[in-house]
Amino acid sequence: MSSTTVPPARSGFSLSEYIICLNGIVWREALRFLHQRERFISALVRPLVWLFIFAAGFRQVLGISIIPPYETYILYEVYIAPGLMAMIQLFNGMQSSLSMVYDREMGNMRTLLVSPLPRGYLLFCKLLAGTAVSLLQVYAFLIIAWFWDIAPPTIVYLTVLPALVLSGLMLGALGMLISASIKQLENFAGVMNFVIFPMFFASSALYPLWRVQEGSPMLYYVCQCNPFTHAVELIRFALYGKMNWVSLAVVGGCTLVFMIGAILAYDPSRGLVRRGPGGGEA
């Protein structure tokens, strides 16, 4: 009687397999971005409208005093540039979450999540891919803003990169967490209106917080508790080669909380993604 040898069970995956997975997800997101040119254009239209139209009108009305990290008086368009950079990342994070809702309805997300690789790693790769796309959009905006006399020193384009990466991860993780609770694509636009606009307007993106405090102390505290405010301030200080440690702690902590929440939410056994009749995710 011949004996059959059972191959030993695998205990994990090699580093090369993790890298192959990361490359596949990033390239898929990059190809989708290249084939959706209107997404790139729309991502630039919003901040450029604020920069070219609204900033020109508010320049004479809203003066910016000397506040950190600025060491002199600045024009209004210089002040709102970091907020517009963060706005690009905010909209991109929500756009990436929209694609996750679409993929889940079409079945592509189910194919990704049934991979033998850890679910948390797959979602993190998806988050990195979305953040990389947002960086391309932000630097394209900075190139256009350079012709509008918003021209920081060349070294700043490198020093601001870590702040952009961290803020992009936070906003992308927030969008990923929200996407787990949206079951139908039609409901996405309504939910986003209750997330994007309150986060953007109740922040320091368009006006300094000391002016908000003069008008409404309650709104000032709301802005202080808004994670988007700290993402804007982190980028603002990085543009001048400085560090806002409070904003760094808030953005880093929120990134971790949102990412853990998204991983749990996309777990069918405990999260918000419910199981379908055949055991798959619905």
Side-chain angles (χ1 to χ4, degrees):
M1 181 181 296
S2 61
S3 59
T4 58
T5 303
V6 179
R10 293 190 57 176
S11 58
F13 297 91
S14 65
L15 178 61
S16 62
E17 290 172 322
Y18 280 103
I19 294 176
I20 291 174
C21 175
L22 175 62
N23 287 337
I25 295 176
V26 171
W27 271 111
R28 181 178 183 272
E29 192 70 20
L31 291 174
R32 170 185 287 177
F33 176 71
L34 292 175
H35 288 104
Q36 296 176 347
R37 295 181 179 87
E38 65 278 0
R39 175 181 171 185
F40 177 77
I41 296 174
S42 63
L44 293 179
V45 167
R46 283 184 293 263
L48 291 178
V49 166
W50 279 98
L51 184 63
F52 296 157
I53 300 178
F54 288 92
F58 290 156
R59 178 189 297 179
Q60 303 300 329
V61 178
L62 184 60
I64 306 299
S65 60
I66 303 176
I67 55 176
Y70 308 111
E71 299 177 353
T72 183
Y73 290 96
I74 59 172
L75 296 176
Y76 181 65
E77 52 262 38
V78 175
Y79 175 81
I80 66 173
L84 298 180
M85 294 163 62
M87 181 177 71
I88 293 174
Q89 294 190 308
L90 174 62
F91 276 88
N92 182 80
M94 300 307 151
Q95 187 75 22
S96 297
S97 64
L98 171 62
S99 68
M100 294 185 69
V101 177
Y102 179 82
D103 286 347
R104 196 169 64 221
E105 284 195 351
M106 297 298 105
N108 296 332
M109 182 57 65
R110 301 179 189 180
T111 303
L112 175 65
L113 294 179
V114 297
S115 168
L117 287 164
R119 184 181 298 262
Y121 178 75
L122 295 172
L123 293 176
F124 183 69
C125 290
K126 178 73 174 178
L127 180 59
L128 285 178
T131 302
V133 170
S134 73
L135 292 178
L136 295 176
Q137 296 171 339
V138 169
Y139 277 99
F141 168 76
L142 286 175
I143 292 174
I144 299 175
W146 185 84
F147 294 97
W148 201 251
D149 293 333
I150 302 177
T154 306
I155 189 64
V156 166
Y157 292 100
L158 295 178
T159 59
V160 76
L161 180 59
L164 290 173
V165 171
L166 188 56
S167 60
L169 289 175
M170 183 193 75
L171 297 172
L174 175 61
M176 187 178 294
L177 177 60
I178 295 173
S179 70
S181 62
I182 301 176
K183 300 299 185 249
Q184 294 180 343
L185 194 62
E186 295 78 8
N187 300 333
F188 185 86
V191 173
M192 289 303 99
N193 287 333
F194 289 99
V195 176
I196 292 178
F197 294 108
M199 288 189 70
F200 179 67
F201 288 109
S203 71
S204 61
L206 300 179
Y207 24 72
L209 293 186
W210 66 267
R211 283 190 174 271
V212 178
Q213 190 176 19
E214 289 181 348
S216 174
M218 182 177 296
L219 181 58
Y220 169 77
Y221 291 111
V222 172
C223 294
Q224 286 279 23
C225 297
N226 184 359
F228 186 75
T229 295
H230 295 281
V232 172
E233 293 304 307
L234 186 66
I235 296 173
R236 191 187 309 281
F237 275 73
L239 281 173
Y240 288 84
K242 299 180 181 179
M243 175 60 69
N244 189 323
W245 295 104
V246 174
S247 295
L248 176 63
V250 173
V251 173
C254 288
T255 302
L256 185 62
V257 171
F258 294 156
M259 189 61 202
I260 293 176
I263 293 174
L264 295 177
Y266 270 95
D267 187 349
S269 65
R270 68 179 79 182
L272 302 176
V273 181
R274 54 186 174 82
R275 288 185 179 275
E281 294 165 359

